[in-house]
Amino acid sequence: MRVLSVTGFFSAAKRPAATTADDDGELVYGLTPASHLLVGSSSLTPFLTLMLDGVFVSPFFGLGAWLQRSPAPDRSLFEVTHGHALREMGDGDPAFGELLHEGLVADTSFIMDVVVKECGHVFQGVSSLVDVAGGLGTAAQTIAKAFPHVKCSVLDLRHVVANAPVGTGVDYIAGDMFESIPSANAVFLKWILHDWGDAECVKLLKNCKKAIPSKEEGGKVIILDMVVGTGLSNPQHKEMQVLFDLFMMFMNGIERDEHQWKKIILEAGYSGYKIIPIAGWILHDWGDAECVKLLKNCQKAIPSREGGGKVIILDMVVGAGLSNPKHKEMQVLFNLFMMFMNGIERDEQQWRRLFRKLDILVITLY
């Protein structure tokens, strides 16, 4: 607990002594925004359990020897360690397969909740969507529920589709994404391309292009993946990106920067692309000066208000919302947590003061 509190995963404070002056009081640990991610209905505990399982950790003990092999190994570090690729191991070991499934579902549920709230506009005008290699359809079900006008389907291998749930409002199609993809207005690729090298990605993206109508007719490929080097410039953000790149490397994957993404996208025959950062719960980490700088960069990245440009901020407005005591207590506690990390939860007046520094005249609070 001492280690976890020093690293900011838990807070630690002395409870006031209730007896004698010699009693220093009991040390009480509390949740911080980081540990809040591991409790509740959207808990990331299954994903963290997967990442810390011995199957995932043990390959890294052989990283040095793997990198020094000559000629370069044709099998991933994971395969060299376990004798099987990740998916093959999940199929052959029921216990690990269940751990893998639960971890990926938890990760998908968490990120898709952010996607539909922050980037829901990408699904506007889409009447049909196919989630490529979408497993049992967690992402597709989230999209279908949030946007009932979108007919969603999932493409995956036959043995995966055989276990698909029923009554989800999502269609399941057995097939190989490297052979063909069912026709739809939009193709959705979540955490797929980082598993593959450039040649495989180009082939897959070409299949996606064949499956959708032209850009003028509303066709689009929606890729949910990391772009290394984008986003916030703080050390923790950079550390997360390079650690995920290292993690993908040990399975023969790669996290790409914008230049690398541009290369495979253009090689697959697309005319262009647009990167939309997902930035929920960002501004409460920073003081006004840093927020103003970040928001000015956001303004530069979008068209004018008249041209439909918008900055969507998912963050707390202290004092807004329900007036019951539990709601107020939650807001005050989160403000306390953020203060612990040099952040701040802002009330409406503080948000307005921040926006006025950007010459933003219209503010919509929900």
Side-chain angles (χ1 to χ4, degrees), residues 46-90:
F47 182 70
L48 185 60
T49 302
L50 174 65
M51 293 296 100
L52 297 179
D53 187 77
V55 172
F56 270 85
V57 174
S58 58
F60 285 103
F61 297 134
L63 178 60
W66 182 77
L67 289 172
Q68 293 174 40
R69 290 178 64 174
S70 181
D74 57 356
R75 295 197 303 165
S76 70
L77 178 57
F78 189 93
E79 290 177 278
V80 169
T81 304
H82 297 296
H84 301 282
L86 177 63
R87 293 289 182 181
E88 293 171 351
M89 192 163 179

Side-chain angles (χ1 to χ4, degrees), residues 280-285 313-317 344-346 351:
W281 313 118
I282 296 297
L283 297 181
H284 68 181
D285 289 335
I313 300 171
L314 177 61
D315 223 316
M316 182 180 293
V317 181
I344 180 175
E345 299 292 0
R346 295 173 170 87
W351 280 113

Side-chain angles (χ1 to χ4, degrees), residues 158-270:
R158 187 171 300 280
H159 72 277
V160 176
V161 172
N163 296 314
V166 297
T168 62
V170 172
D171 294 330
Y172 294 86
I173 304 168
D176 186 336
M177 63 186 182
F178 289 112
E179 293 180 0
S180 66
I181 293 173
S183 297
N185 284 144
V187 174
F188 186 61
L189 299 165
K190 184 192 72 66
W191 309 139
I192 301 298
L193 297 179
H194 69 180
D195 290 335
W196 302 93
D198 286 5
E200 293 87 356
C201 286
V202 169
K203 184 176 182 179
L204 176 54
L205 287 171
K206 284 182 176 180
N207 287 343
C208 293
K209 199 170 191 298
K210 295 175 184 176
I212 60 173
S214 67
K215 178 182 177 182
E216 292 71 25
E217 295 174 315
K220 63 176 73 174
V221 177
I222 304 168
I223 301 171
L224 178 59
D225 228 315
M226 183 181 294
V227 182
V228 176
T230 63
L232 298 176
S233 59
N234 64 67
Q236 292 88 348
H237 191 82
K238 290 181 178 179
E239 180 182 350
M240 180 272 294
Q241 290 186 336
V242 297
L243 283 176
F244 262 87
D245 193 21
L246 178 65
F247 172 71
M248 293 311 303
M249 182 189 71
F250 102 123
M251 293 190 293
N252 267 7
I254 180 176
E255 299 292 2
R256 295 173 169 88
D257 59 27
E258 184 172 355
H259 175 75
Q260 293 168 309
W261 279 111
K262 182 178 180 179
K263 177 179 178 294
I264 62 172
I265 290 170
L266 297 184
E267 191 174 336
Y270 293 84

Side-chain angles (χ1 to χ4, degrees), residues 32-49:
T32 66
S35 47
H36 263 289
L37 295 175
L38 303 184
V39 297
S41 58
S42 299
S43 169
L44 283 173
T45 295
F47 182 70
L48 185 60
T49 302

